[in-house]
């Protein structure tokens, strides 16, 4: 069975290198590539690859947002493998929230990358639970005790529920299923939540929830 792969990286030489590496394997096929987040989002929705290897940092956005968008728009969604030059706690957390299956540094060996593609294509995960837990602990430690946030109080009960589900990593579609809402309605709610809290990205909202939970005695990350 051939695993189809899509490549997103703003450096052509990186894309060429990845494509050549993967095409050496009989069971892997590169079906498309892109240099920007916008192009990748459109092409992945059309090509429907099994795995999307996504650069985290891009000129017009980031791979984490692409992961979130395509996992909401494409059914079945591709397994997203985040690839980055830098170890970044916020990007790692964002990848977890977006539903990524793996997070690798570009220093990874070719053998390990090929193995990673096969692992996530088969439904496995490369996210180290202990590393993820450490990220969440550091986020909590950075949140001292404080009074209630007036921004949070502007959210309706439904918006508060949706904010919690965003932090749990659910896509708009999954939130809609959970709350029995149309996906477009959820999208409107999410936009309202971000606006009221002063955020531009879902990742910021998710970190905000983790920080709130960390200030509440006995709270845990769901």
């Amino acid at each position: 069975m051939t695993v189809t792969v899509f490549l997103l990286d703003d450096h052509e030489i990186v894309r060429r290198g990845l494509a050549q590496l993967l095409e050496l394997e009989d069971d892997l096929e590169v079906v498309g590539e892109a240099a920007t987040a916008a192009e990748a989002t459109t092409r992945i929705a059309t090509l429907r690859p099994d795995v999307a290897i996504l650069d985290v940092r891009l000129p017009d956005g980031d791979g984490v947002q692409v992961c979130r968008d395509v996992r909401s728009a494409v059914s079945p969604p591709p397994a997203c493998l985040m690839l980055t030059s830098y170890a970044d706690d916020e990007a790692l957390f964002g990848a977890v929230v977006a539903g990524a299956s793996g997070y690798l540094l570009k220093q990874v060996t070719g053998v390990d990358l090929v193995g990673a593609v096969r692992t996530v294509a088969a439904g496995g995960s490369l996210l180290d639970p202990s590393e993820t837990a450490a990220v969440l602990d550091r986020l909590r430690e950075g949140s001292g005790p404080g009074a209630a946030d007036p921004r949070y109080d502007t959210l309706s009960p439904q918006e508060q529920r949706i904010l919690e589900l965003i932090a749990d990593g659910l896509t708009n579609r999954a939130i809609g299923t959970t709350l029995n809402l149309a996906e477009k309605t959820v999208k409107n709610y999410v936009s309202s939540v971000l606006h009221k809290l002063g955020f531009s990205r879902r990742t910021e909202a998710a970190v905000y929830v983790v920080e709130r939970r960390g200030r509440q005695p006995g709270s845990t990350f769901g």
Side-chain angles (χ1 to χ4, degrees), residues 205-217:
V207 172
Y208 171 79
V209 172
V210 172
E211 291 174 343
R212 282 184 56 85
R213 291 172 178 173
R215 290 194 294 267
Q216 298 167 0

Side-chain angles (χ1 to χ4, degrees), residues 119-196:
T119 296
V120 299
S125 173
L126 297 175
L127 294 170
D128 184 344
S130 62
E131 186 179 22
T132 303
V135 170
L136 297 178
D137 286 342
R138 283 194 289 274
L139 288 169
R140 291 188 179 111
E141 288 168 4
S143 310
D149 186 344
R151 295 177 301 172
Y152 184 81
D153 294 335
T154 66
L155 302 179
S156 69
Q158 185 76 302
E159 288 172 337
Q160 291 175 8
R161 285 191 288 270
I162 287 175
L163 176 61
E164 292 290 329
L165 294 174
I166 290 173
D168 287 338
L170 272 66
T171 64
N172 286 353
R173 181 173 299 174
I175 292 174
T177 300
T178 301
L179 299 180
N180 197 27
L181 296 172
E183 187 174 352
K184 184 176 181 180
T185 301
V186 174
K187 183 177 180 181
N188 291 336
Y189 270 121
V190 171
S191 296
S192 177
V193 168
L194 295 180
H195 176 72
K196 288 183 178 181

Side-chain angles (χ1 to χ4, degrees), residues 15-219:
R15 297 197 308 274
R16 285 188 178 183
L18 289 172
Q20 290 175 1
L21 173 68
L22 297 174
E23 291 286 5
L24 290 174
E25 305 298 321
D26 293 338
D27 61 328
L28 304 180
E29 179 187 1
V30 176
V31 294
E33 60 181 60
T36 66
E39 182 184 6
T41 302
T42 300
R43 298 207 67 203
I44 291 173
T46 301
L47 296 170
R48 298 178 178 272
D50 299 311
V51 177
I53 299 178
L54 309 173
D55 189 9
V56 171
R57 300 175 186 272
L58 298 163
D60 65 331
D62 60 76
V64 171
Q65 184 64 47
V66 173
C67 174
R68 181 181 299 111
D69 289 344
V70 298
R71 287 186 60 81
S72 296
V74 180
S75 182
C80 294
L81 190 56
M82 313 308 300
L83 199 60
T84 181
S85 300
Y86 310 98
D88 183 334
D89 284 355
E90 182 178 351
L92 172 57
F93 180 69
V96 174
V97 172
S101 300
Y103 186 94
L104 299 174
L105 295 179
K106 288 184 178 178
Q107 293 90 324
V108 66
T109 66
V111 172
D112 287 342
L113 179 62
V114 168
V117 170
R118 290 178 176 140
T119 296
V120 299
S125 173
L126 297 175
L127 294 170
D128 184 344
S130 62
E131 186 179 22
T132 303
V135 170
L136 297 178
D137 286 342
R138 283 194 289 274
L139 288 169
R140 291 188 179 111
E141 288 168 4
S143 310
D149 186 344
R151 295 177 301 172
Y152 184 81
D153 294 335
T154 66
L155 302 179
S156 69
Q158 185 76 302
E159 288 172 337
Q160 291 175 8
R161 285 191 288 270
I162 287 175
L163 176 61
E164 292 290 329
L165 294 174
I166 290 173
D168 287 338
L170 272 66
T171 64
N172 286 353
R173 181 173 299 174
I175 292 174
T177 300
T178 301
L179 299 180
N180 197 27
L181 296 172
E183 187 174 352
K184 184 176 181 180
T185 301
V186 174
K187 183 177 180 181
N188 291 336
Y189 270 121
V190 171
S191 296
S192 177
V193 168
L194 295 180
H195 176 72
K196 288 183 178 181
L197 295 177
F199 299 141
S200 59
R201 298 180 179 178
R202 294 169 72 109
T203 303
E204 295 173 281
V207 172
Y208 171 79
V209 172
V210 172
E211 291 174 343
R212 282 184 56 85
R213 291 172 178 173
R215 290 194 294 267
Q216 298 167 0
S219 65

